[in-house]
Structure formats: C-alpha cells, structure tokens
Amino acid sequence: MGDISKDINSKFPNNKVKALLNILYTANWIKTQQNTFFQPFKVSAQQYNILRILRGTKEPLKAQTIKERMIERAPNATRMMDKLSDKKLIERVRCDHDRRVVYINITENGLKLLSKIDSNFKNDILENLSNDEATILSDLLDKIR
C-alpha cells in the first residue's frame, strides 16, 4: 500500500493537511490511470462520461443537461461533443418545434464503443478496498462536500 508521506517525500503539519493533499494526489493518480486506459479507444474520460450519460437516458438530451450530469463539469463540453460528433459517436438532432434547441443522441457506433470499453474495463483502482471500506470512503467524501 502507498503512503503519501513516502510517495511525495514530505511531512505534514497535521492530519487534515495530509488528508487533503492525499485526496488531491490520489485524484491525480486516478486521472492518470483513466487517461492510460482510454487512450486505445481514442476518447477521454470526459468524452466517455458524455457517452455513458447518453446511453443511460436512452433518449436524446439537451447539451446543457449533459453538462449538468457530468462527473467533471468541463467548460469545453461543447467542444468535446463536437469531437464525438466528428467521430460519429453522437449526433445532433434539431427540435421539430423550436429550431434553436438541439438534442444530442448517441449513435450505434457510440453504443458499440461503450460496449467495447465496458468489456475491457477493470475495477483495479479500488481493488485494495473491501465493499465496506468503499462505502466508508464514499461516505467520507460525501461528508467533505
């Protein structure tokens, strides 16, 4: 198991500072793991999140709704959707009664990519935690927010 003190060769003035820095360090480590995992699929973790949201709703959504549901709210979500559209993973659908409204829908290619990602996904990041520990961790993170 890792030890933040040894990993970054540092001492901390108190346990709250250590915990905060550990959260930040671990979040960055997880992000690096995700980036490595998603590279072969040619999507980012945020783009995957958009596709996952669309698959879960089973209906087209407004771009703003997608932005609100994202795990990591990104100011460049529209640009990410442009890239997904260029890759034919999503499509934009104009509203029949209000041409200003555009809905985003996942394509068959998008669903196939998600299926491929899902079949390769491993839950290794949290393998050192029991289910009870994962619940405690989740509860503590909720408490922080």
Side-chain angles (χ1 to χ4, degrees), residues 14-141:
N14 60 56
N15 284 334
K16 287 189 177 185
V17 170
K18 180 179 180 181
L20 177 60
L21 292 175
N22 204 344
I23 290 167
L24 296 171
Y25 184 79
T26 303
N28 188 52
W29 178 84
I30 290 170
K31 193 173 283 198
T32 300
Q33 299 296 311
Q34 285 184 323
N35 290 340
T36 302
F37 173 77
F38 286 114
Q39 259 179 343
F41 302 104
K42 296 184 175 36
V43 295
S44 67
Q46 290 175 321
Q47 289 172 326
Y48 167 75
N49 190 19
I50 291 169
L51 293 171
R52 187 192 55 76
I53 290 166
L54 289 167
R55 177 180 60 185
T57 62
K58 297 182 173 72
E59 62 183 28
L61 291 175
K62 291 180 186 177
Q64 186 59 37
T65 303
I66 294 169
K67 290 177 189 178
E68 290 167 359
R69 293 185 184 181
M70 289 180 72
I71 294 170
E72 185 179 338
R73 295 203 168 89
N76 62 345
T78 302
R79 192 180 57 139
M80 282 189 277
M81 287 184 237
D82 289 342
K83 288 183 178 185
L84 290 170
S85 180
D86 291 345
K87 294 175 186 179
K88 309 286 189 233
L89 300 173
I90 64 169
E91 63 185 354
R92 289 181 168 84
V93 181
R94 290 233 177 251
C95 179
D96 291 334
H97 59 276
D98 187 346
R99 302 286 295 159
R100 297 171 296 178
V101 177
V102 178
Y103 291 94
I104 310 296
N105 191 31
I106 191 165
T107 64
E108 192 60 39
N109 286 340
L111 291 171
K112 286 178 186 174
L113 178 64
L114 283 178
S115 181
K116 197 173 175 183
I117 290 170
D118 290 346
S119 68
N120 284 280
F121 186 77
K122 297 178 187 94
N123 210 3
D124 294 359
I125 290 176
L126 299 180
E127 71 183 344
N128 292 330
L129 297 182
S130 69
N131 281 334
D132 288 342
E133 289 170 329
T135 299
I136 292 166
L137 174 61
S138 186
D139 290 346
L140 289 171
L141 292 170

Side-chain angles (χ1 to χ4, degrees), residues 4-19:
I4 185 77
S5 300
K6 291 177 185 170
D7 289 346
I8 65 172
N9 194 23
S10 187
K11 293 183 178 163
F12 308 99
N14 60 56
N15 284 334
K16 287 189 177 185
V17 170
K18 180 179 180 181

